[in-house]
Amino acid sequence: MNNNDKISPAVIRRLPKYYRYLGELTKMGLNKTSSRELSEMTGFSASQIRQDLNNFGGFGQQGFGYDVENLRNEIARILGLDKKYKIIIIGAGNIGQAIANYTGFYEADYEVVALFDKNPKLIGMSMRNALIKDIDELEEFLNVENIDIAVICTPKSVSQQVAEQLVQCGIRAIWNFAPKDLKMPDYVHVENVHLNESLFSLTYYYNQMNKKKSE
């Protein structure tokens, strides 16, 4: 197996899709699949899929294909999905509440243990089993609880400050939904999620299709 630090980020971003479709095959009761079948499901070429998986050892046999359960378990291990993770959410507004209620967290082993906000009308409420706490309790909470991932759903104006506070308290993985790219040290991994960028890309392709129809 190659050194995972040298794996292209593009490969890593394709692995969750393979994992998801293998889960669908499992639910269908299928035991075997091939790169060609995965290609039809994912939209990636069969050769691309084989190249991606070969970065981690391949997992298939010529003439047999892939054992669905085994491949899904191996991808889960590569992604770290064979472990449990504790999550906190900073910002309990619409996006924060939607994330806290996302069933996909609980199907994989992610647990939202608390949300934090400054709105007194929200403090004390629960999202599933996670209590919304006062943001002023954040530092004390992190000194006691072992949290793996923090989700930022705050306004843009305070997102960087919140992120720096999280890092000072030991957080090393941040999922950022605030409309601002965070500037963090190299030892902190940040995934910036900008919903409007995805929507703008969709709008572009929608308009391209309309132009072709009108030609």
Side-chain angles (χ1 to χ4, degrees), residues 44-56:
F44 305 131
S45 70
S47 62
Q48 180 69 75
I49 293 170
R50 290 193 296 271
Q51 289 175 27
D52 288 349
L53 297 178
N54 282 338
N55 282 292
F56 305 96

Side-chain angles (χ1 to χ4, degrees), residues 19 73-85 109:
Y19 180 79
N73 288 340
E74 288 292 342
I75 292 176
R77 181 184 59 78
I78 293 165
L79 292 172
L81 302 181
D82 55 343
K83 304 173 185 177
K84 294 184 177 182
Y85 298 94
D109 260 333

Side-chain angles (χ1 to χ4, degrees), residues 41-194:
M41 296 180 73
T42 64
F44 305 131
S45 70
S47 62
Q48 180 69 75
I49 293 170
R50 290 193 296 271
Q51 289 175 27
D52 288 349
L53 297 178
N54 282 338
N55 282 292
F56 305 96
F59 313 118
Q61 298 178 17
Q62 190 170 2
F64 176 83
Y66 301 101
D67 179 286
V68 170
E69 183 178 4
N70 179 66
L71 180 57
R72 189 168 189 265
N73 288 340
E74 288 292 342
I75 292 176
R77 181 184 59 78
I78 293 165
L79 292 172
L81 302 181
D82 55 343
K83 304 173 185 177
K84 294 184 177 182
Y85 298 94
K86 290 186 176 182
I87 295 176
I88 58 170
I89 298 173
I90 315 301
N94 292 334
I95 294 178
Q97 291 183 30
I99 292 172
N101 283 304
Y102 176 53
T103 57
F105 276 151
Y106 308 96
E107 292 170 358
D109 260 333
Y110 295 92
E111 179 190 4
V112 177
V113 296
L115 296 86
F116 292 85
D117 206 285
K118 67 176 184 179
N119 186 342
K121 294 181 179 179
L122 296 176
I123 295 168
M125 294 175 56
S126 291
M127 296 289 123
R128 290 186 177 256
N129 293 320
L131 188 67
I132 301 177
K133 297 176 174 290
D134 192 315
I135 189 65
D136 290 339
E137 300 177 29
L138 177 60
E139 186 171 342
E140 181 181 356
F141 181 88
L142 290 174
N143 286 335
V144 175
E145 296 289 336
N146 184 22
I147 300 300
D148 302 294
I149 299 171
V151 184
I152 294 180
C153 301
T154 64
K156 175 181 178 180
S157 58
V158 297
S159 58
Q160 182 68 37
Q161 178 184 346
V162 167
E164 290 173 0
Q165 182 181 8
L166 289 167
V167 172
Q168 289 174 0
C169 293
I171 295 296
R172 297 294 179 263
I174 297 175
W175 201 18
N176 175 40
F177 284 82
K180 177 180 181 178
D181 289 341
L182 300 175
K183 294 179 173 60
M184 292 283 101
D186 291 340
Y187 57 83
V188 178
H189 187 79
V190 179
E191 286 286 331
N192 293 299
V193 181
H194 296 293

Side-chain angles (χ1 to χ4, degrees), residues 14-28:
R14 286 191 287 269
L15 291 181
K17 180 167 282 193
Y18 300 153
Y19 180 79
R20 175 163 57 89
Y21 279 110
L22 288 164
E24 293 184 9
L25 292 176
T26 300
K27 290 177 182 178
M28 294 166 60

